[in-house]
Amino acid sequence: MNIKNVYSAESLNEAITLLKANEGKAKILAGGTDLVGTIREKIHPEPVEDVVSLKALDELKAVREGDGYVEIGAMVTLTELQKNEVIRNSFPIISEAAGTVASPQIRNAATIGGNICQEPRCWYYRYQDDKFNCLRKGGDRCNAVVGNNLYHSVFGPSKVCQTPCEIHCPNHTNIPGYMEMIRKGDVHGAAEILFSVNPLAAVTGRICPHTCEQHCNRKKYDESVSIREVERYLGDYILEHPDQFFRAPEHGTGKKIYIIGAGPAGLTAAYYLRSFGHEVTVIDKNEHIGGMLYYGIPAYRLPKEILGRIQSVLEGMGISFRMNVQVGKDIEMETLSEEADALFVGIGAWVSLNLNFEGRDAKGILNALQLLYKVAEHEDQKLGKEVVVIGGGNTSFDVCRSALKMGAEKVTLLSILPYEEMPAEEEEITAAEQEGVVIRELTTLKEVVKKPDGSIGQLIYQKMKKRDEDAEGLDNVIPEEGVTMTDTADSVVIAIGQGIDMQGFGQLQEKSKGIDLADKDAGKTVLEDIFAAGDAAHGPATVVKSIFQARQTAAAIDESFRSEVAGNVSAGKAAISFSEKALLNSERVKPEELPLEQRNLYTEISKTIDELGFSSEAERCLNCGCVAVSPSDLGAALTALDAVVVTTEREIPIGEFFDTPAGGSTVLGGGEIVTSIRIPKSAALSRQIYFKHRTRKSIDFPIVSIAIDAEMEGETVQEIRIAFGAVSPVPRRAYEVEAFLKGKPLTKETALAASELAVRDCMALAENEYKINLLKVLLRRNLERL
């Protein structure tokens, strides 16, 4: 063991100071042996350096009776719990639970505080040298879900941290939350979770690069969940029921806000700011809303009708649109600033980056945005039979596919990067190749030889090579000396990226990637009451990232007007479970697409998945929680008694104590120490039963434990509390069973029905179905004992 220091604290304050001095690497020794094992086996990513013992703190070793409660010091040993007359008489299930722990020698040292704070007894969690780095310790998955799960939860997982799909979504959407609602059959509830952070789901459900799917844990077993297709279904549902989502505020604030730019950032900010009660006007230089959504993404990927519907529902909320108005030309920034309480700048990246080569001024060379703008406006653009596109991102492939649909017979994409490093989505590359686009990797345009009339004659390509085969990126490619090729083309389209044009925006200073921000997270510029988000503030990025930035900035604008930020900005935590079907191998749903011969510029190629596909994808979601169970023998008994855990900082109801974030088994924060457990005397009902099933009488942890606290009148149940241990990630109160039993005679038939009800929501993993039957039998038998 690599322990540097072992301290014997002489006071709670000293213990707290020692813990905080080396937070994360200092641990409490509460008397038992659990900590020693975790240190010796090095089960955590960060080694434990300091151990702080509480054995000298006598004030934590007493059992005291107060006014209406009994308080048990955190350092009271399990042996003392067995012997103490107050505990034995008032709360016999505590004494019984303590007596089932391990061996007499261990019970002499182990304490009630240590017992409820011990770490999970999962093989993957406990494996030496942190081999599996499981979800609860900051990893990306719970290995037990599809691995060894003989002793794990039969009531689903616990959400101990954000899942990989949430983390890698730029908008941090609660994807598992809405998948859970879909599995429950609540499509509207799922849509509300998504809509709370994304009012443009019908857009992102079609064009989002879905980085969430790239990190989906399911991908390790078969295929990732089709998250974007599910989002598209929900986005369409939202637009089909606009009155239930895009609601006008009941009360206005009197604050006036101008939003410059009707792209994804501007539309998002407009929705949130209007929902907060502010008067919102959106100003844009173009005829149609959407910005790059309208003019930069072809209709076969994102139909213009979707954007028209979004404008309609936003107008229904009371948002005004002033189109064909250019700031700096038709109206000045200073005027807008004087008229409004705040300005939000959400302009897009409308400047195409240039590429220098000999012959750049030849006729027939244009940039991507010029072409896509004309396509969006149905303007005629003659490209000829042979088209060469320079790029590698999504926009370049939009250009390639559009060129084919405009009549080009041969379209070639030049990528200076290797094929596998092109930044475009894999689906876009595949679709382009299926439609006939030829990709020449590690190739760039060196020269255009012009014809006498100035048009494109011959193209000379420069072959590139990787400087280092193990490295990636533009800095890693260099010309392959002496290796060139020739080709012909009627048109060349440059699609290597976009920049920001700040002309007309007064004192807002342009950086290399956008507007200067005084507060990046809040989108606050260096000028008072002027905010910015999206491409203007952070440089060209994805639509979903712009939505996130605009949502945060809208909240900051609202906060600047009031003492409290209005709600409706982030989604709440949903219940966590998954379907048994998620444990079976399955293919992801694929949307139906138009045949190649039917594809054109203005008809959407893919269709929204049907209800069956929508539901099946939600069933495939593993919900990525932890299925390890709480190992505390006393946890179930304390839960049945409605105990309260008292710490150096607060009082925590036992039902919340085990609802842990990542990194442990309780909600205790850094430097927080359990000082006592307080049990109300009113919890001491007349009949109490504790039963623990394990493979051996001594040493072993529970496979199933049951704690019952009941008040009987003859055979009739007057009051009852039931808690289960070792069957779920936290000790589980059986509230439905309690309600069912209350007021009923406790016959064998009633006990049987109660036991069936207790396991109704159980879900077996591959190896632990026996625990469901065991729980049902043990509950029935112990109810009969009452």
Side-chain angles (χ1 to χ4, degrees):
M1 295 189 290
N2 297 320
I3 298 175
K4 295 181 179 179
N5 303 293
V6 178
Y7 301 101
S8 179
E10 296 183 4
S11 69
L12 275 172
N13 285 337
E14 182 186 1
I16 293 168
T17 300
L18 290 168
L19 287 177
K20 290 185 174 181
N22 197 2
E23 192 166 334
K25 294 185 178 182
K27 297 289 184 181
I28 286 289
L29 179 63
T33 59
D34 186 46
L35 178 64
V36 176
T38 63
I39 295 173
R40 182 177 60 244
E41 300 294 341
K42 301 177 183 177
I43 71 170
H44 290 290
E46 291 289 335
V48 176
E49 295 179 351
D50 297 344
V51 172
V52 181
S53 173
L54 304 181
K55 290 182 179 180
L57 302 184
D58 291 337
E59 67 266 34
L60 303 185
K61 298 178 181 180
V63 176
R64 294 184 294 271
E65 288 192 74
D67 185 13
Y69 63 87
V70 173
E71 190 152 11
I72 306 171
M75 291 298 288
V76 172
T77 66
L78 302 188
T79 298
E80 177 62 20
L81 290 178
Q82 286 181 272
K83 296 178 178 179
N84 185 278
E85 289 299 319
V86 174
I87 302 298
R88 287 169 58 86
N89 292 333
S90 298
F91 310 112
I93 54 174
I94 297 293
S95 296
E96 291 173 23
T100 67
V101 176
S103 63
Q105 291 87 347
I106 291 177
R107 292 196 292 272
N108 285 336
T111 62
I112 186 171
N115 187 269
I116 63 173
C117 292
Q118 60 189 305
E119 299 185 59
R121 296 282 165 172
C122 170
W123 183 78
Y124 298 102
Y125 184 94
R126 294 269 176 166
Y127 203 90
Q128 59 264 36
D129 297 317
D130 190 35
K131 179 177 181 179
F132 295 99
N133 188 26
C134 68
L135 193 69
R136 193 180 284 265
K137 292 188 287 182
D140 59 7
R141 59 176 165 159
C142 175
N143 295 277
V145 171
V146 294
N148 184 322
N149 46 48
L150 191 64
Y151 301 113
H152 290 70
S153 172
V154 291
F155 282 100
S158 172
K159 185 165 184 173
V160 296
C161 62
Q162 277 197 317
T163 58
C165 60
E166 291 175 274
I167 293 170
H168 292 282
C169 170
N171 198 25
H172 304 295
T173 307
N174 184 6
I175 296 167
Y178 70 65
M179 290 288 185
E180 171 70 16
M181 299 303 286
I182 296 168
R183 287 193 292 275
K184 291 179 177 179
D186 187 355
V187 177
H188 187 82
E192 284 184 324
I193 290 174
L194 175 58
F195 184 73
S196 68
V197 295
N198 182 0
L200 304 181
V203 172
T204 53
R206 287 168 164 81
I207 63 166
C208 185
H210 52 74
T211 50
C212 52
E213 292 183 20
Q214 297 165 26
H215 295 87
C216 174
N217 274 329
R218 178 144 208 123
K219 198 173 182 180
K220 298 178 175 70
Y221 309 114
D222 43 49
E223 295 180 297
S224 61
V225 176
S226 293
I227 298 170
R228 187 172 70 181
E229 299 305 325
V230 172
E231 184 169 312
R232 173 172 168 171
Y233 186 104
L234 292 173
D236 288 356
Y237 175 91
I238 289 166
L239 288 185
E240 289 163 5
H241 303 82
D243 293 344
Q244 299 176 40
F245 296 93
F246 292 91
R247 301 186 185 95
E250 294 182 3
H251 305 287
T253 63
K255 299 296 184 180
K256 185 176 183 178
I257 301 167
Y258 282 136
I259 291 178
I260 304 171
L267 296 176
T268 300
Y271 163 73
Y272 284 111
L273 289 167
R274 181 57 184 152
S275 69
F276 296 152
H278 310 310
E279 181 185 336
V280 176
T281 300
V282 180
I283 299 170
D284 195 277
K285 66 179 181 179
N286 294 302
E287 180 181 354
H288 303 282
I289 75 157
M292 283 297 171
L293 299 177
Y294 189 97
Y295 295 99
I297 297 177
Y300 60 80
R301 287 183 61 207
L302 178 60
K304 311 307 180 190
E305 179 262 344
I306 295 289
L307 297 171
R309 289 166 67 186
I310 289 172
Q311 179 173 356
S312 178
V313 297
L314 291 176
E315 287 175 334
M317 292 180 68
I319 296 170
S320 299
F321 287 89
R322 292 172 59 183
M323 308 306 293
N324 295 311
V325 175
Q326 184 169 350
V327 174
K329 179 181 178 182
D330 302 309
I331 193 167
E332 298 300 323
M333 272 281 291
E334 290 77 9
T335 303
L336 294 175
S337 186
E338 290 171 2
E339 293 179 1
D341 295 289
L343 298 185
F344 174 96
V345 180
I347 61 173
W350 287 92
V351 180
S352 289
L353 300 183
N354 196 18
L355 183 66
N356 293 318
F357 49 84
E358 194 172 341
R360 173 65 180 83
D361 60 345
K363 297 176 183 177
I365 298 176
L366 64 161
N367 65 57
L369 295 186
Q370 286 177 295
L371 175 62
L372 293 174
Y373 194 98
K374 289 184 176 182
V375 169
E377 293 286 56
H378 293 251
E379 295 179 14
D380 187 35
Q381 174 70 47
K382 299 189 185 306
L383 295 175
K385 293 183 178 180
E386 297 184 348
V387 178
V388 170
V389 180
I390 305 170
N394 281 342
T395 299
S396 67
F397 281 97
D398 285 340
V399 170
C400 288
R401 298 175 70 188
S402 295
L404 286 170
K405 294 170 178 59
M406 295 168 72
E409 296 177 2
K410 178 187 176 185
V411 176
T412 304
L413 178 97
L414 305 185
S415 170
I416 195 170
L417 293 170
Y419 182 95
E420 64 277 4
E421 291 183 37
M422 290 190 298
E425 295 171 47
E426 183 180 344
E427 295 162 354
E428 293 304 309
I429 298 171
T430 301
E433 289 182 313
Q434 288 174 344
E435 292 174 9
V437 174
V438 176
I439 298 174
R440 300 186 72 152
E441 64 174 339
L442 288 169
T443 305
T444 191
L445 181 58
K446 181 179 182 180
E447 180 182 352
V448 174
V449 180
K450 291 183 285 188
K451 293 179 180 179
D453 64 357
S455 62
I456 299 170
Q458 188 180 57
L459 304 179
I460 299 176
Y461 299 152
Q462 172 66 58
K463 185 67 176 174
M464 310 297 286
K465 67 178 181 179
K466 295 183 72 170
R467 189 194 311 268
D468 180 350
E469 285 299 320
D470 296 324
E472 294 183 356
L474 285 171
D475 294 338
N476 191 48
V477 291
I478 56 174
E480 192 169 342
E481 192 173 343
V483 182
T484 59
M485 299 147 285
T486 60
D487 199 359
T488 58
D490 298 301
S491 298
V492 173
V493 185
I494 301 170
I496 60 171
Q498 292 97 247
I500 314 295
D501 179 9
M502 293 302 299
Q503 186 174 357
F505 282 84
Q507 299 179 49
L508 287 179
Q509 299 300 307
E510 182 183 5
K511 301 183 301 180
S512 59
K513 288 189 177 181
I515 298 169
D516 273 331
L517 294 177
D519 185 336
K520 184 176 180 181
D521 292 334
K524 183 80 174 67
T525 72
V526 294
L527 300 181
E528 187 177 359
D529 297 326
I530 298 180
F531 297 76
D535 294 350
H538 303 276
T542 60
V543 171
V544 70
K545 194 163 188 178
S546 290
I547 289 171
F548 171 75
Q549 294 161 357
R551 176 163 60 87
Q552 298 298 100
T553 301
I557 293 172
D558 183 64
E559 187 176 12
S560 72
F561 296 147
R562 65 178 89 209
S563 58
E564 293 183 4
V565 183
N568 197 28
V569 177
S570 60
K573 182 178 177 182
I576 182 164
S577 66
F578 58 84
S579 168
E580 293 179 358
K581 295 178 182 177
L583 302 176
L584 306 175
N585 286 341
S586 59
E587 294 183 358
R588 60 191 261 132
V589 67
K590 296 175 178 62
E592 183 182 347
E593 295 185 339
L594 286 176
L596 293 175
E597 64 275 10
Q598 294 182 20
R599 298 182 183 183
N600 60 70
L601 279 173
Y602 302 109
T603 304
E604 189 170 20
I605 290 174
S606 66
K607 296 183 178 180
T608 301
I609 58 177
D610 60 21
E611 185 177 356
L612 179 61
F614 170 72
S615 300
S616 68
E617 282 306 294
E619 298 278 1
R620 295 182 69 240
C621 172
L622 286 165
N623 213 347
C624 296
C626 173
V627 293
V629 298
S630 170
S632 172
D633 297 88
L634 290 164
L638 293 171
T639 299
L641 294 170
D642 278 338
V644 173
V645 179
V646 181
T647 77
T648 49
E649 298 180 11
R650 52 183 165 158
E651 296 181 2
I652 309 169
I654 193 69
E656 300 173 12
F657 181 72
F658 299 100
D659 191 12
T660 175
S665 55
T666 72
V667 297
L668 294 177
E672 187 176 13
I673 300 172
V674 174
T675 59
S676 65
I677 290 84
R678 187 178 297 158
I679 308 173
K681 289 183 178 179
S682 59
L685 302 182
S686 62
R687 301 190 195 180
Q688 297 180 21
I689 292 175
Y690 179 83
F691 185 88
K692 171 182 173 179
H693 179 85
R694 68 272 207 198
T695 54
R696 295 172 296 179
K697 188 173 182 180
S698 64
I699 304 299
D700 285 347
F701 291 87
I703 294 173
V704 174
S705 64
I706 296 173
I708 302 174
D709 184 27
E711 191 68 54
M712 306 288 292
E713 185 175 305
E715 291 188 353
T716 301
V717 178
Q718 299 298 308
E719 191 68 44
I720 191 166
R721 288 187 293 270
I722 302 171
F724 305 139
V727 293
S728 61
V730 301
R732 182 181 179 88
R733 271 288 292 273
Y735 290 108
E736 284 188 284
V737 177
E738 294 170 6
F740 171 77
L741 289 172
K742 191 173 180 179
K744 287 186 175 65
L746 198 49
T747 62
K748 288 186 177 182
E749 291 76 17
T750 303
L752 178 60
S755 66
E756 294 283 355
L757 179 61
V759 299
R760 185 182 62 183
D761 296 330
C762 283
M763 189 198 71
L765 300 173
E767 299 175 345
N768 70 356
E769 186 173 4
Y770 76 96
K771 289 183 73 169
I772 299 174
N773 295 323
L774 187 59
L775 175 60
K776 184 166 63 174
V777 170
L778 293 177
L779 178 60
R780 176 178 59 80
R781 289 179 179 175
N782 282 283
L783 286 175
E784 290 175 359
R785 283 177 59 194
L786 284 178

